[in-house]
Amino acid sequence: MTSAVADLLAGVLAGDAVLRGPERERWAVAGVVPGAVVFPATAEDAAAILSRASEEGWRVVPAGLGGWLEGGAPTGGPVDLVLSTRRMDRILHYEAADLTISLEAGLEVDALTSRLEQEEQWLPLDAPGAGAGSVGALLATGAAGPLEAGFGRPRDHVLGGTLVTGDGRILRLGGRVVKNVAGFDLVRLAVGSGGALGVLTEATLRLFPRPERDVTLRLPGPEPGALVEAARRVATAPVPLAAAELMDPAPDLPGPDAGAQHGAALLVRVLGGADAVESVVGSLEEILEGSADAETTRADGADSAALHRSVEGIEDGASLVVRLALLPARLEETLARAEELVARAAARPDPSARSNGPRPVVAAHVTTGVVRVVVRRTIDAGEIDEWARTLGGLRADLEQSGGSLTVASGPPDLVRAVGARGEVGRQERRLLDGLKDTFDPAGVMPGIDN
Amino acid sequence: MPTPLPDPLVRSLRTVVGAEALITDPARLLVYESDGLTAYRHLPRAVVFPSDSDQVSRVVELLAAEDVPFVPRGAGTGLSGGALAIGDTVVIATTRMDRILEIDPENRRARLQPGVINARLSAATEPHGLYYAPDPSSQSACTLGGNVAENSGGPHCLKYGVTSRYITGLTVVLPTGEVVRLGGQGRDAAGLDLVGLFVGSEGCFGIATEIEVQLLPLPEGVRTLLAIFDDMEAAGRAVTGIIGRGLLPAALEIIDGETIRAVEASVFAAGYPVDAAAALVVEFDGVEAGLDAELAEAEACCREAGAREIRKADTEEERSALWKGRKKAFGAMGRIAPDLLVQDATVPRTTLPGVLRKIGEIGRRYELTLANVFHAGDGNLHPNILFDRRDTEELARVEEASKEIMQVCVDAGGTITGEHGVGVDKRKYMSLVHGDAELRAMADVREVFDPAHLCNPGKVLPDEIWALPGMAAAGPAPRAGTGAAG
């Protein structure tokens, strides 16, 4: 972007709404500092910017608060503009009795949570790192956390939204009501589109009453494989679960024993009315007792919530996050493949070069069969090829069994070499390209597969 | 009368599906001229019954090669004219594709063909302790393929969500005949949600020939009550009270006095008091422990709101009895008048009392009989108008009243259809809730799937959209809808 063009931008927005100096570095996308960062205050401003971007052929990356959930969009080239929704952070309409809320996309998720708490309501979405990010980012990535087991994914909770397309059209999609089939479901398309279609500036979300009781059961084990049987029995038990995660290492329960618990554990969370929760917990304790040698411990209320907040934080500062997926009944196989990645992380080109750093975290969503591997030590440039080979091989292997491997975030060179997602069939590719073209004909937004 | 298909095409189709799976005789085609929206009739050019995905693909390929438009049809129970053969169309019926391909309890999923009847699916999974949650009122007749097309709801979607929540994968025959597999439970669900986009696309994007669904464990217990009210607003207050206390019932259904009287005068008589203004069915399901407490709280809300009578179910039989009036409501209306205009709007729940008042006022002003049935929990209303179509003067009042009712719902922050879909019937209201930009975007998306405008033409989008500047289609000119609703 030339400075003449950046001047143009500054003409569209108020002075402090454009960053052109060194402060831009904070907004680097996968290491690439953008030509400018803009903070539109309204959907109309965002539309004017994107309209211009399409005319000029800029490359634009949307952002909320700059936390780059899912690693942001790895690019092969320069980023002309980061468009942040940070200034659009108001709650527009909160009708607690309707269990719906309309808000601007730049609102911080934690701030939303606090506001909802005042009405004893909540939004049961706990994607990794989402709390400190914007609602828009959460919806754009469509990422889910452990609560998916009990409550579904972000796209199940969005009733409507405003999407500013890559070519600067403002589309007000969906509505404010929980049942709405007036036309094609473009809301579902926009959520999880990763910014490929445009920028979400507003959303209407469906809410839930805060559960009366929150209990997590923790069953430790020497390693994940030893807990698979227990996990499968929990997953197929006829009881409502809020979350079931098999982790290694697993966070400790708060309390006097904290720090003494090491290694892997199965964490099962139950939310609901007091009587119902106690009944389910009782059933689960029986199941877990029969499945493993160790003792199950229990966390209640704030302790249970704190435990899950730490689960939410496991991707903070990660250098590489990979998601492996097969059907949930094949959890053991998926974990075995995750072990290959853990082994790769342990095999360093020069073991003496530096300290080992924290070991990777393996976290399996038991009910969906998705296993995350979070690598926390730095990955050197010299290792990229080896990693690419390992990941490519694992992906081919999983895809052959009907599964998938997704690189949620990682070193840009590695993500480029492997591809964030696997290839899709020719017809699906045509549909994806056609949809992309519909909303972003000039191709200013990140690609669909990022 | 639609033009008959050319003989060579008929022969080719017969080769693919077998002679007995193709109807071209006009007398036999009559059955397929309507769906659940019986006011509209369009005779198809032919009806073909493929038995699997491969046959669907080859049939579509043959039709596409001759530029013959087609419309998929499940059980024909739809209430928006989605399966109407508008504009010289061939119906591709999925009724022969009625096999459940796989029930996979370990992964809580099932794979099935689109012609499987909704209730039959849950019946088949029940022995495994699982069920398929979305239960539209027509579930004993409607098919999963139709449910996917309409993103169907039903009384239990307040707690459990609508169809799109439960569809994890689809095999789709595109309007070119090409086959594409979307989603699939073993694949990580991130990225563009093509499955979610296809659900609710009303048969305009292609034909789903295999559907993968998520199943839920059967709830441990269920508790149901029926509350009788002397005025509708009191029933509304009870609903607000129940939700306000943080309860999430599995179902919250209301029928009004007019509906109660229709039911009680019919063979479906359920023992509801005919002088009541409203009957509210409240149901909780889930873990057994705690259900009694929830029901007690709901009962308290009903009494606080002024319920004059509460009935509770202790057995499955009693539960069926409590539901009977609600479930047979539509069937009973046929007694009162030859024609029924079934409306389907959704409004924010808190606006229900005011909206109902206005609807009642509209009914009185137009001197029409209205019978209200609604899913109070999610604000989805069916203010049904009973009339006789042969009385053209009354018909005109019905249409005017219907427009006003729709405007009231939209003005309250609602939408024009909560579960029946747009089809033909509600195209005229699309501009109440969508601007040109949104409608164009929908048209563009439709064209990504169906550039030649062969797949279920004349549905969902108003014809005028195709005439907007910049909307020139790549393929042949769009086929204008010729339905009565325009």
Side-chain angles (χ1 to χ4, degrees), chain A residues 98 155 172 182 232 323 329, chain B residues 106-107 188 193 350 434 438:
Chain A
D98 270 335
R155 54 182 64 119
R172 299 191 197 279
R232 288 302 307 149
R323 288 200 300 264
Chain B
E106 274 296 301
N107 291 301
D188 195 351
D193 188 2
T350 47
H434 297 301
E438 288 79 22

Side-chain angles (χ1 to χ4, degrees), chain B residues 292-349:
Chain B
D292 287 329
E294 285 186 316
L295 196 73
E297 266 200 81
E299 186 179 343
C301 289
C302 290
R303 292 198 193 280
E304 255 170 59
R308 77 172 197 214
E309 186 193 340
I310 309 262
R311 301 179 195 177
K312 288 181 282 197
D314 278 321
T315 64
E316 184 54 39
E317 226 170 51
E318 285 172 15
R319 177 175 172 254
S320 290
L322 293 186
W323 271 100
K324 191 175 175 193
R326 163 65 186 91
K327 292 206 169 177
K328 297 303 183 185
F330 281 79
M333 286 179 199
R335 251 198 112 260
I336 297 188
D339 290 288
L340 180 70
L341 181 67
V342 176
Q343 304 215 278
D344 170 49
T346 309
V347 299
R349 187 185 25 255

Side-chain angles (χ1 to χ4, degrees), chain A residues 326-383:
Chain A
L326 284 175
L327 286 173
R330 301 174 74 169
L331 181 61
E332 192 156 21
E333 295 173 61
T334 322
L335 283 170
R337 287 167 174 88
E339 275 309 305
E340 283 186 48
L341 290 178
V342 173
R344 164 123 309 281
R348 302 195 60 110
D350 180 4
S352 66
R354 65 196 83 192
S355 70
N356 277 331
R359 63 183 172 109
V361 181
V362 174
H365 291 325
V366 170
T367 57
T368 63
V370 175
V371 177
R372 263 185 305 162
V373 179
V374 181
V375 177
R376 299 181 287 177
R377 66 153 178 86
T378 11
I379 292 177
D380 302 321
E383 301 181 70

